[in-house]
Structure formats: structure tokens, C-alpha cells
Amino acid sequence: AAGVIQSPRHLIKEKRETATLKCYPIPRHDTVYWYQQGPGQDPQFLISFYEKMQSDKGSIPDRFSAQQFSDYHSELNMSSLELGDSALYFCASSLPPTPPEAFFGQGTRLTVV
Amino acid sequence: DAKTTQPPSMDCAEGRAANLPCNHSTISGNEYVYWYRQIHSQGPQYIIHGLKNNETNEMASLIITEDRKSSTLILPHATLRDTAVYYCIVRVEGSNYKLTFGKGTLLTVNP
């Protein structure tokens, strides 16, 4: 069965650089969520999209932006990277109202040096 | 989302049942209890969810108290591969509401 695809799986960037993370949801899923998980931390919600519109916003820094495209894939753009942005970034997709669960990708590990 | 409280860690012997508790005393009437787990930096994985009745699937059973203020996730025969952080989350079903991860329980299954 198709799963949520995230690319790249690993990314190394220098401070003040820009990074773009991509998420391809499960086919027919119209909702995408982004999460950030720092070392030893629990996943923190960043932002979500439903039918290409932002549906909810969490603790996403102003330096970050995201969008969902017409094919439902989503991109998280991160600018002026800081050392503290080093984390695992997960994308999840779901198809409200059923099934109820959100399916997560394997994540992108971003390292800022 | 309502807040949940879970023990930070638990141990279980391989082959035995693992019972993971969760308190959600402020849960609303239309909020479901969801359980996810995360195995060593992999993406979180859905396990089970329920409203007020006990639920069972191929992975686990979910027991919800009558007052819905707490629940227990049961892994009937824990294996080493069940070692993970388990998250109890309350959420309104049928919406695109985000999952809010709190402090889960690190379950360690020992040989």
C-alpha cells in the first residue's frame, strides 16, 4: 500500500541557508500535517492544510512557510536556518472524516551546521 | 485537545501483556481517545482509537473507563519490536484537527 513519502530523507544545511522539505500524501488524502521533533523531544505540530488551504497553525516560526499544491503534495520552506532548527520533520496525511487515523511519513532529518 | 497524563516509562517482559495507562480527566463528550507509537525516530504509527466502548484490533485492545476519564492500552503479547514511545491523544473524530502529542510512555520490552 502507498504510504506518505517525504523527501529528502536527510539534509545538511549551513546556518542562514534555506531548505525545502517535500511531502507526498497517500493518494486521495486531502489533509497534510507537518510536525517538528527535536532531539529527545515529542513531535510538535507546525501547520496543516486541508484541500490546499491552511487549516491550522501551531508553533511554526515566521521564518518557515508551507503550502499545499493542486496535487495535494506539500512543501515546507525554511529560511535563515538556525542551529536549533536541527530536527526530524514529519509529514502526515489523512482523509477526513474516515479513516480516523493520520498516516505519518518516515521523516526528513535536517541538520544545520 | 484535552490534556493527557501518562507514566514516563514502563518495562514489560517479552511474551507478557503490556498495560499502558492514560489519564484524560478533562475529555469532552465528542473527543475520542487515540493511541500512537513511535519506534526509535520513525514516523508515529496509529494503533487504535475509541470513544467509550472497549475496542480491539490486530495490534492491541483499548479499555476506556465508564466515566471516560482514563484508558488503558493493552498489548496482549509484547515482543521486542514493541519497544517504543506510546502516545495517548484525545481528538475529535471526523475532523482535520491536529494530533497533539504530549509526553508519552517509553515502553521497554525485555527478553
PDB file of all heavy atoms in Angstrom, chain A residues 2-26:
ATOM      1  N   ALA A   2       0.393   2.271  -0.709  1.00  0.00           N
ATOM      2  CA  ALA A   2       1.166   3.501  -0.778  1.00  0.00           C
ATOM      3  C   ALA A   2       1.192   4.172   0.582  1.00  0.00           C
ATOM      4  O   ALA A   2       0.199   4.171   1.322  1.00  0.00           O
ATOM      5  CB  ALA A   2       0.545   4.429  -1.812  1.00  0.00           C
ATOM      6  N   GLY A   3       2.351   4.755   0.913  1.00  0.00           N
ATOM      7  CA  GLY A   3       2.472   5.479   2.172  1.00  0.00           C
ATOM      8  C   GLY A   3       2.798   6.927   1.906  1.00  0.00           C
ATOM      9  O   GLY A   3       2.892   7.371   0.752  1.00  0.00           O
ATOM     10  N   VAL A   4       2.967   7.684   2.961  1.00  0.00           N
ATOM     11  CA  VAL A   4       3.365   9.076   2.850  1.00  0.00           C
ATOM     12  C   VAL A   4       4.862   9.122   2.514  1.00  0.00           C
ATOM     13  O   VAL A   4       5.666   8.475   3.191  1.00  0.00           O
ATOM     14  CB  VAL A   4       3.092   9.833   4.159  1.00  0.00           C
ATOM     15  CG1 VAL A   4       3.596  11.269   4.047  1.00  0.00           C
ATOM     16  CG2 VAL A   4       1.606   9.799   4.500  1.00  0.00           C
ATOM     17  N   ILE A   5       5.191   9.849   1.482  1.00  0.00           N
ATOM     18  CA  ILE A   5       6.572   9.944   1.028  1.00  0.00           C
ATOM     19  C   ILE A   5       7.128  11.318   1.360  1.00  0.00           C
ATOM     20  O   ILE A   5       6.522  12.338   1.036  1.00  0.00           O
ATOM     21  CB  ILE A   5       6.686   9.708  -0.484  1.00  0.00           C
ATOM     22  CG1 ILE A   5       6.039   8.387  -0.879  1.00  0.00           C
ATOM     23  CG2 ILE A   5       8.163   9.758  -0.920  1.00  0.00           C
ATOM     24  CD1 ILE A   5       6.696   7.167  -0.262  1.00  0.00           C
ATOM     25  N   GLN A   6       8.279  11.319   2.008  1.00  0.00           N
ATOM     26  CA  GLN A   6       8.937  12.578   2.320  1.00  0.00           C
ATOM     27  C   GLN A   6      10.308  12.595   1.650  1.00  0.00           C
ATOM     28  O   GLN A   6      10.999  11.584   1.590  1.00  0.00           O
ATOM     29  CB  GLN A   6       9.102  12.758   3.826  1.00  0.00           C
ATOM     30  CG  GLN A   6       7.796  12.983   4.559  1.00  0.00           C
ATOM     31  CD  GLN A   6       8.009  13.338   6.015  1.00  0.00           C
ATOM     32  OE1 GLN A   6       7.635  12.578   6.900  1.00  0.00           O
ATOM     33  NE2 GLN A   6       8.600  14.519   6.252  1.00  0.00           N
ATOM     34  N   SER A   7      10.665  13.767   1.154  1.00  0.00           N
ATOM     35  CA  SER A   7      11.995  13.919   0.573  1.00  0.00           C
ATOM     36  C   SER A   7      12.558  15.294   0.887  1.00  0.00           C
ATOM     37  O   SER A   7      11.801  16.260   1.027  1.00  0.00           O
ATOM     38  CB  SER A   7      11.941  13.702  -0.945  1.00  0.00           C
ATOM     39  OG  SER A   7      11.225  14.761  -1.565  1.00  0.00           O
ATOM     40  N   PRO A   8      13.881  15.397   1.031  1.00  0.00           N
ATOM     41  CA  PRO A   8      14.789  14.255   1.121  1.00  0.00           C
ATOM     42  C   PRO A   8      14.687  13.569   2.486  1.00  0.00           C
ATOM     43  O   PRO A   8      14.016  14.079   3.379  1.00  0.00           O
ATOM     44  CB  PRO A   8      16.158  14.920   0.952  1.00  0.00           C
ATOM     45  CG  PRO A   8      15.968  16.274   1.560  1.00  0.00           C
ATOM     46  CD  PRO A   8      14.562  16.684   1.221  1.00  0.00           C
ATOM     47  N   ARG A   9      15.322  12.458   2.672  1.00  0.00           N
ATOM     48  CA  ARG A   9      15.324  11.790   3.969  1.00  0.00           C
ATOM     49  C   ARG A   9      16.325  12.435   4.913  1.00  0.00           C
ATOM     50  O   ARG A   9      16.117  12.468   6.131  1.00  0.00           O
ATOM     51  CB  ARG A   9      15.649  10.315   3.798  1.00  0.00           C
ATOM     52  CG  ARG A   9      14.576   9.524   3.074  1.00  0.00           C
ATOM     53  CD  ARG A   9      13.273   9.440   3.885  1.00  0.00           C
ATOM     54  NE  ARG A   9      13.481   9.017   5.253  1.00  0.00           N
ATOM     55  CZ  ARG A   9      13.617   7.756   5.627  1.00  0.00           C
ATOM     56  NH1 ARG A   9      13.548   6.788   4.737  1.00  0.00           N
ATOM     57  NH2 ARG A   9      13.818   7.445   6.899  1.00  0.00           N
ATOM     58  N   HIS A  10      17.397  12.922   4.356  1.00  0.00           N
ATOM     59  CA  HIS A  10      18.427  13.595   5.152  1.00  0.00           C
ATOM     60  C   HIS A  10      18.848  14.866   4.429  1.00  0.00           C
ATOM     61  O   HIS A  10      18.916  14.887   3.199  1.00  0.00           O
ATOM     62  CB  HIS A  10      19.650  12.693   5.349  1.00  0.00           C
ATOM     63  CG  HIS A  10      19.330  11.396   6.020  1.00  0.00           C
ATOM     64  ND1 HIS A  10      19.313  11.244   7.393  1.00  0.00           N
ATOM     65  CD2 HIS A  10      18.988  10.192   5.499  1.00  0.00           C
ATOM     66  CE1 HIS A  10      18.987  10.005   7.686  1.00  0.00           C
ATOM     67  NE2 HIS A  10      18.782   9.340   6.568  1.00  0.00           N
ATOM     68  N   LEU A  11      19.133  15.898   5.206  1.00  0.00           N
ATOM     69  CA  LEU A  11      19.514  17.178   4.628  1.00  0.00           C
ATOM     70  C   LEU A  11      20.461  17.874   5.587  1.00  0.00           C
ATOM     71  O   LEU A  11      20.180  17.964   6.789  1.00  0.00           O
ATOM     72  CB  LEU A  11      18.262  18.028   4.390  1.00  0.00           C
ATOM     73  CG  LEU A  11      18.392  19.318   3.601  1.00  0.00           C
ATOM     74  CD1 LEU A  11      18.927  19.041   2.202  1.00  0.00           C
ATOM     75  CD2 LEU A  11      17.042  20.019   3.518  1.00  0.00           C
ATOM     76  N   ILE A  12      21.563  18.348   5.053  1.00  0.00           N
ATOM     77  CA  ILE A  12      22.520  19.112   5.852  1.00  0.00           C
ATOM     78  C   ILE A  12      22.634  20.495   5.246  1.00  0.00           C
ATOM     79  O   ILE A  12      22.888  20.632   4.044  1.00  0.00           O
ATOM     80  CB  ILE A  12      23.901  18.422   5.894  1.00  0.00           C
ATOM     81  CG1 ILE A  12      23.790  17.041   6.515  1.00  0.00           C
ATOM     82  CG2 ILE A  12      24.890  19.280   6.692  1.00  0.00           C
ATOM     83  CD1 ILE A  12      25.082  16.245   6.493  1.00  0.00           C
ATOM     84  N   LYS A  13      22.423  21.503   6.075  1.00  0.00           N
ATOM     85  CA  LYS A  13      22.481  22.878   5.627  1.00  0.00           C
ATOM     86  C   LYS A  13      23.332  23.693   6.602  1.00  0.00           C
ATOM     87  O   LYS A  13      23.487  23.332   7.770  1.00  0.00           O
ATOM     88  CB  LYS A  13      21.070  23.479   5.564  1.00  0.00           C
ATOM     89  CG  LYS A  13      20.193  22.921   4.457  1.00  0.00           C
ATOM     90  CD  LYS A  13      20.603  23.461   3.109  1.00  0.00           C
ATOM     91  CE  LYS A  13      19.658  23.024   2.014  1.00  0.00           C
ATOM     92  NZ  LYS A  13      20.030  23.602   0.695  1.00  0.00           N
ATOM     93  N   GLU A  14      23.831  24.813   6.100  1.00  0.00           N
ATOM     94  CA  GLU A  14      24.573  25.713   6.963  1.00  0.00           C
ATOM     95  C   GLU A  14      23.637  26.782   7.516  1.00  0.00           C
ATOM     96  O   GLU A  14      22.563  27.029   6.966  1.00  0.00           O
ATOM     97  CB  GLU A  14      25.732  26.350   6.195  1.00  0.00           C
ATOM     98  CG  GLU A  14      26.782  25.325   5.772  1.00  0.00           C
ATOM     99  CD  GLU A  14      28.010  25.984   5.184  1.00  0.00           C
ATOM    100  OE1 GLU A  14      28.018  27.215   5.006  1.00  0.00           O
ATOM    101  OE2 GLU A  14      28.985  25.254   4.902  1.00  0.00           O
ATOM    102  N   LYS A  15      24.057  27.381   8.602  1.00  0.00           N
ATOM    103  CA  LYS A  15      23.273  28.474   9.187  1.00  0.00           C
ATOM    104  C   LYS A  15      23.000  29.542   8.140  1.00  0.00           C
ATOM    105  O   LYS A  15      23.824  29.813   7.272  1.00  0.00           O
ATOM    106  CB  LYS A  15      24.032  29.092  10.360  1.00  0.00           C
ATOM    107  CG  LYS A  15      24.018  28.256  11.607  1.00  0.00           C
ATOM    108  CD  LYS A  15      24.518  29.045  12.826  1.00  0.00           C
ATOM    109  CE  LYS A  15      25.903  29.601  12.586  1.00  0.00           C
ATOM    110  NZ  LYS A  15      26.421  30.314  13.789  1.00  0.00           N
ATOM    111  N   ARG A  16      21.813  30.087   8.245  1.00  0.00           N
ATOM    112  CA  ARG A  16      21.333  31.168   7.362  1.00  0.00           C
ATOM    113  C   ARG A  16      20.962  30.683   5.961  1.00  0.00           C
ATOM    114  O   ARG A  16      20.491  31.497   5.159  1.00  0.00           O
ATOM    115  CB  ARG A  16      22.352  32.314   7.286  1.00  0.00           C
ATOM    116  CG  ARG A  16      22.506  33.069   8.605  1.00  0.00           C
ATOM    117  CD  ARG A  16      23.549  34.177   8.505  1.00  0.00           C
ATOM    118  NE  ARG A  16      24.903  33.647   8.407  1.00  0.00           N
ATOM    119  CZ  ARG A  16      25.608  33.236   9.454  1.00  0.00           C
ATOM    120  NH1 ARG A  16      25.101  33.278  10.667  1.00  0.00           N
ATOM    121  NH2 ARG A  16      26.834  32.771   9.279  1.00  0.00           N
ATOM    122  N   GLU A  17      21.147  29.409   5.684  1.00  0.00           N
ATOM    123  CA  GLU A  17      20.710  28.894   4.392  1.00  0.00           C
ATOM    124  C   GLU A  17      19.204  28.611   4.398  1.00  0.00           C
ATOM    125  O   GLU A  17      18.523  28.785   5.410  1.00  0.00           O
ATOM    126  CB  GLU A  17      21.474  27.609   4.044  1.00  0.00           C
ATOM    127  CG  GLU A  17      22.895  27.853   3.577  1.00  0.00           C
ATOM    128  CD  GLU A  17      23.503  26.609   2.938  1.00  0.00           C
ATOM    129  OE1 GLU A  17      23.275  25.508   3.475  1.00  0.00           O
ATOM    130  OE2 GLU A  17      24.209  26.754   1.923  1.00  0.00           O
ATOM    131  N   THR A  18      18.704  28.173   3.242  1.00  0.00           N
ATOM    132  CA  THR A  18      17.288  27.857   3.067  1.00  0.00           C
ATOM    133  C   THR A  18      17.140  26.380   2.757  1.00  0.00           C
ATOM    134  O   THR A  18      18.001  25.777   2.098  1.00  0.00           O
ATOM    135  CB  THR A  18      16.703  28.686   1.909  1.00  0.00           C
ATOM    136  OG1 THR A  18      16.788  30.072   2.241  1.00  0.00           O
ATOM    137  CG2 THR A  18      15.242  28.324   1.672  1.00  0.00           C
ATOM    138  N   ALA A  19      16.057  25.792   3.252  1.00  0.00           N
ATOM    139  CA  ALA A  19      15.772  24.383   2.987  1.00  0.00           C
ATOM    140  C   ALA A  19      14.317  24.224   2.575  1.00  0.00           C
ATOM    141  O   ALA A  19      13.444  24.969   3.045  1.00  0.00           O
ATOM    142  CB  ALA A  19      16.063  23.540   4.225  1.00  0.00           C
ATOM    143  N   THR A  20      14.079  23.265   1.709  1.00  0.00           N
ATOM    144  CA  THR A  20      12.718  22.933   1.294  1.00  0.00           C
ATOM    145  C   THR A  20      12.486  21.451   1.489  1.00  0.00           C
ATOM    146  O   THR A  20      13.221  20.625   0.932  1.00  0.00           O
ATOM    147  CB  THR A  20      12.471  23.301  -0.181  1.00  0.00           C
ATOM    148  OG1 THR A  20      12.611  24.717  -0.345  1.00  0.00           O
ATOM    149  CG2 THR A  20      11.066  22.892  -0.594  1.00  0.00           C
ATOM    150  N   LEU A  21      11.486  21.120   2.280  1.00  0.00           N
ATOM    151  CA  LEU A  21      11.116  19.739   2.530  1.00  0.00           C
ATOM    152  C   LEU A  21       9.819  19.439   1.788  1.00  0.00           C
ATOM    153  O   LEU A  21       8.912  20.278   1.770  1.00  0.00           O
ATOM    154  CB  LEU A  21      10.915  19.503   4.030  1.00  0.00           C
ATOM    155  CG  LEU A  21      12.148  19.285   4.902  1.00  0.00           C
ATOM    156  CD1 LEU A  21      13.163  20.402   4.754  1.00  0.00           C
ATOM    157  CD2 LEU A  21      11.735  19.110   6.357  1.00  0.00           C
ATOM    158  N   LYS A  22       9.748  18.248   1.209  1.00  0.00           N
ATOM    159  CA  LYS A  22       8.569  17.890   0.429  1.00  0.00           C
ATOM    160  C   LYS A  22       7.839  16.700   1.040  1.00  0.00           C
ATOM    161  O   LYS A  22       8.449  15.812   1.636  1.00  0.00           O
ATOM    162  CB  LYS A  22       8.969  17.579  -1.011  1.00  0.00           C
ATOM    163  CG  LYS A  22       9.577  18.777  -1.744  1.00  0.00           C
ATOM    164  CD  LYS A  22       9.871  18.466  -3.193  1.00  0.00           C
ATOM    165  CE  LYS A  22      10.438  19.699  -3.894  1.00  0.00           C
ATOM    166  NZ  LYS A  22      10.680  19.456  -5.344  1.00  0.00           N
ATOM    167  N   CYS A  23       6.544  16.715   0.851  1.00  0.00           N
ATOM    168  CA  CYS A  23       5.684  15.659   1.387  1.00  0.00           C
ATOM    169  C   CYS A  23       4.662  15.269   0.334  1.00  0.00           C
ATOM    170  O   CYS A  23       3.946  16.136  -0.203  1.00  0.00           O
ATOM    171  CB  CYS A  23       4.973  16.154   2.639  1.00  0.00           C
ATOM    172  SG  CYS A  23       3.671  15.052   3.253  1.00  0.00           S
ATOM    173  N   TYR A  24       4.596  13.984   0.062  1.00  0.00           N
ATOM    174  CA  TYR A  24       3.612  13.458  -0.897  1.00  0.00           C
ATOM    175  C   TYR A  24       2.650  12.560  -0.120  1.00  0.00           C
ATOM    176  O   TYR A  24       3.029  11.482   0.336  1.00  0.00           O
ATOM    177  CB  TYR A  24       4.322  12.688  -2.011  1.00  0.00           C
ATOM    178  CG  TYR A  24       5.235  13.573  -2.821  1.00  0.00           C
ATOM    179  CD1 TYR A  24       6.553  13.783  -2.435  1.00  0.00           C
ATOM    180  CD2 TYR A  24       4.766  14.233  -3.952  1.00  0.00           C
ATOM    181  CE1 TYR A  24       7.393  14.620  -3.154  1.00  0.00           C
ATOM    182  CE2 TYR A  24       5.591  15.068  -4.689  1.00  0.00           C
ATOM    183  CZ  TYR A  24       6.903  15.260  -4.278  1.00  0.00           C
ATOM    184  OH  TYR A  24       7.730  16.097  -4.990  1.00  0.00           O
ATOM    185  N   PRO A  25       1.408  13.023   0.058  1.00  0.00           N
ATOM    186  CA  PRO A  25       0.463  12.262   0.883  1.00  0.00           C
ATOM    187  C   PRO A  25       0.003  10.994   0.183  1.00  0.00           C
ATOM    188  O   PRO A  25       0.247  10.790  -1.014  1.00  0.00           O
ATOM    189  CB  PRO A  25      -0.694  13.237   1.063  1.00  0.00           C
ATOM    190  CG  PRO A  25      -0.641  14.120  -0.150  1.00  0.00           C
ATOM    191  CD  PRO A  25       0.824  14.257  -0.469  1.00  0.00           C
ATOM    192  N   ILE A  26      -0.667  10.164   0.941  1.00  0.00           N
ATOM    193  CA  ILE A  26      -1.279   8.961   0.379  1.00  0.00           C
ATOM    194  C   ILE A  26      -2.328   9.401  -0.649  1.00  0.00           C
ATOM    195  O   ILE A  26      -3.054  10.377  -0.405  1.00  0.00           O
ATOM    196  CB  ILE A  26      -1.917   8.120   1.503  1.00  0.00           C
ATOM    197  CG1 ILE A  26      -0.806   7.558   2.396  1.00  0.00           C
ATOM    198  CG2 ILE A  26      -2.785   7.000   0.949  1.00  0.00           C
ATOM    199  CD1 ILE A  26      -1.311   6.878   3.644  1.00  0.00           C
TER     200      ILE A  26
END
